[in-house]
């Protein structure tokens, strides 16, 4: 009986060895969650400087999150955001499908009529800290699908009206979209540790302390 007990303990010890020696799985970091007003207070203020900016400094679109699916970042975002999924043909050509451009509330049924907007435009990111980044970090920013709000499918018209302006100079024309937009703008700034200038910060405060005071901001700092 003693031998059987000893054998049992030995077997248990052997079973535990792989569990004890295997590296612990790394849990994904929990997102930071705060009110819009508190989130705005976390954004650092500096003067903006666009010296040296070139759009080509941010490589996009790359092969996306799934390098084996044959789709680039643009098409992966379109697939993720479709209200009705498009058909994926050879070469990741998208046909059919329906999207809703939340900036202006428009329903779109052609992928070609959509732009993938960088929530914080590339030029604004450059002004706000990205000028000091490595080329690989700028590429990661320009193709960021690690946050659902960094890239958004919207009508080409609304994206081009926005251009590289911050919330002091442009807001979505749909009033229902504005609180969401401000929250996602601040979320992206915090995710990438980007700064704001005085005018931008004051505009954000107007929304945070007024019509958007109930908006909640969620963000996970970029690696």
């Amino acid at each position: 009986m003693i031998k059987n007990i000893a054998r049992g303990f030995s077997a248990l010890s052997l079973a535990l060895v792989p569990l004890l020696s295997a590296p612990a799985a790394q849990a994904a970091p929990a997102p930071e969650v705060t009110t819009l007003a508190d989130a705005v207070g976390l954004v650092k203020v500096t003067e903006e400087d666009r010296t040296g900016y070139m759009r080509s400094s941010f490589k996009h679109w790359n092969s996306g999150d799934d390098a084996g699916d044959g789709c680039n970042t643009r098409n992966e975002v379109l697939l993720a955001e479709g209200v009705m999924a498009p058909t994926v043909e050879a070469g990741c050509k998208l046909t059919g499908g329906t999207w809703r451009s939340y900036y202006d509330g428009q329903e779109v049924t052609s992928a070609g009529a959509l732009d993938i907007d960088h929530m914080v435009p590339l030029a604004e990111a450059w002004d706000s800290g990205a000028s000091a980044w490595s080329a690989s970090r700028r590429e990661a920013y320009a193709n960021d699908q690690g946050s659902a709000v960094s890239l958004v499918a919207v009508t080409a018209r609304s994206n081009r009206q926005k251009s590289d302006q911050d919330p002091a100079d442009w807001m979505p024309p749909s009033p229902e979209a504005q609180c969401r937009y401000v929250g996602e703008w601040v979320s992206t700034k915090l995710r990438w540790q980007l700064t704001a200038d005085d005018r931008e910060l004051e505009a954000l405060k107007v929304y945070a302390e007024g019509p958007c005071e109930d908006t909640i901001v969620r963000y996970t700092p970029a690696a």
Side-chain angles (χ1 to χ4, degrees):
M1 181 176 178
I2 293 174
K3 287 182 179 180
N4 287 339
I5 293 172
R7 188 178 295 116
F9 277 120
S10 177
L12 180 61
S13 298
L14 288 172
L16 287 173
V17 167
L19 295 176
L20 294 173
S21 60
Q26 202 166 25
E32 302 288 339
V33 181
T34 186
T35 64
L36 178 58
D38 285 346
V40 170
L42 295 174
V43 179
K44 294 181 179 179
V45 182
T46 61
E47 292 297 319
E48 293 185 350
D49 183 1
R50 196 157 296 185
T51 303
Y53 169 71
M54 293 185 295
R55 188 172 175 82
S56 59
S57 297
F58 295 81
K59 181 182 176 182
H60 67 291
W61 305 108
N62 64 18
S63 57
D65 280 356
D66 183 355
D69 68 359
C71 297
N72 62 13
T73 299
R74 171 187 161 81
N75 280 358
E76 287 185 356
V77 173
L78 289 171
L79 288 168
E81 294 195 4
V83 176
M84 291 184 61
T87 299
V88 184
E89 299 180 351
C92 200
K93 180 181 178 182
L94 305 183
T95 59
T98 303
W99 293 264
R100 184 177 182 278
S101 167
Y102 94 80
Y103 287 1
D104 50 14
Q106 297 297 306
E107 185 175 279
V108 181
T109 56
S110 169
L114 293 160
D115 281 355
I116 303 303
D117 182 38
H118 292 91
M119 175 53 59
V120 174
L122 302 180
E124 170 70 20
W126 179 273
D127 295 349
S128 307
S131 60
W133 293 351
S134 66
S136 61
R137 187 166 178 83
R138 288 196 287 267
E139 180 179 354
Y141 176 83
N143 297 274
D144 181 22
Q145 294 184 70
S147 167
V149 307
S150 295
L151 302 171
V152 57
V154 295
T155 57
R157 179 181 180 183
S158 64
N159 183 43
R160 290 162 198 183
Q161 287 175 341
K162 172 183 173 179
S163 186
D164 58 8
Q165 300 175 92
D166 68 34
D169 296 309
W170 186 89
M171 288 290 288
S174 173
E176 295 80 10
Q178 293 179 354
C179 290
R180 173 181 170 182
Y181 181 79
V182 172
E184 294 183 356
W185 179 278
V186 175
S187 171
T188 305
K189 285 257 168 163
L190 292 175
R191 172 170 169 76
W192 289 92
Q193 297 181 338
L194 296 170
T195 61
D197 63 17
D198 289 328
R199 288 185 68 250
E200 176 188 347
L201 192 72
E202 289 307 310
L204 295 173
K205 285 180 178 179
V206 168
Y207 286 94
E209 296 168 4
C212 305
E213 62 181 351
D214 295 328
T215 299
I216 299 299
V217 172
R218 295 174 176 83
Y219 68 95
T220 302

